[in-house]
Amino acid sequence: MNIGQIFHVIPWWVFLLAFLIFKMGMRATKPQVLPLKKLYTAPALLVLLALDNLWGQIVSGHANILAWLSGSVFGGWIGWKVALSMTLEFDHDKRLVKLPGSWSVVAIMLIVIGGKVIVGYETSINQGAVATSLLMSAIFAVS
């Protein structure tokens, strides 16, 4: 896959979406105060992407539920460990949480976007790209 093929095959809006998500991730590198309900936006988006990936595999007949569940358990464990290591401050009256800055959000978002682009490209070129699809299933579940 060369650069010319990437720009030819991938729709323009994917690059716009990647830029906006990267911008959100860069904001997360600095400490910030958020309403508790906003704290669930990114994880909900990632879960939807993972379920979309799993559904696509089920429809195509290449689903590997075990890889997805294993990735989910592993990702949940990593998330739990990261959450335990964070120092959070809460304002219970205003329902706010102060988050420390972290590069992990940028890394996760770039992995998910990159993975979706790679799987989309590989499956459009090679319909039998089951190994790539299974690998990405595990990565999406971990995220």
Side-chain angles (χ1 to χ4, degrees):
M1 168 170 37
N2 65 38
I3 298 295
Q5 288 174 319
I6 291 172
F7 288 109
H8 185 267
V9 174
I10 300 171
W12 66 270
W13 58 266
V14 172
F15 295 104
L16 177 64
L17 180 64
F19 173 76
L20 293 174
I21 291 174
F22 181 74
K23 188 176 172 184
M24 275 182 12
M26 292 305 291
R27 217 177 303 138
T29 63
K30 299 178 177 98
Q32 55 187 329
V33 178
L34 295 173
L36 280 174
K37 63 183 175 182
K38 275 196 173 181
L39 203 57
Y40 297 104
T41 304
L45 178 63
L46 292 174
V47 167
L48 289 174
L49 285 172
L51 290 174
D52 175 60
N53 181 57
L54 180 63
W55 179 251
Q57 289 180 7
I58 289 170
V59 169
S60 70
H62 299 298
N64 189 336
I65 305 292
L66 183 59
W68 195 86
L69 289 174
S70 299
S72 295
V73 169
F74 183 66
W77 178 74
I78 290 173
W80 183 256
K81 289 293 206 181
V82 169
L84 289 177
S85 70
M86 294 176 114
T87 304
L88 303 176
E89 297 175 30
F90 293 94
D91 182 342
H92 296 285
D93 296 332
K94 295 180 183 175
R95 301 187 54 83
L96 299 173
V97 61
K98 182 177 180 184
L99 301 172
S102 172
W103 283 93
S104 63
V105 174
V106 175
I108 289 169
M109 300 244 180
L110 288 177
I111 288 169
V112 170
I113 291 168
K116 287 290 256 186
V117 168
I118 290 168
V119 169
Y121 177 80
E122 288 295 325
T123 54
S124 71
I125 299 301
N126 177 12
Q127 294 299 324
V130 177
T132 304
S133 185
L134 294 178
L135 171 66
M136 292 316 300
S137 177
I139 289 173
F140 291 139
V142 167
S143 66

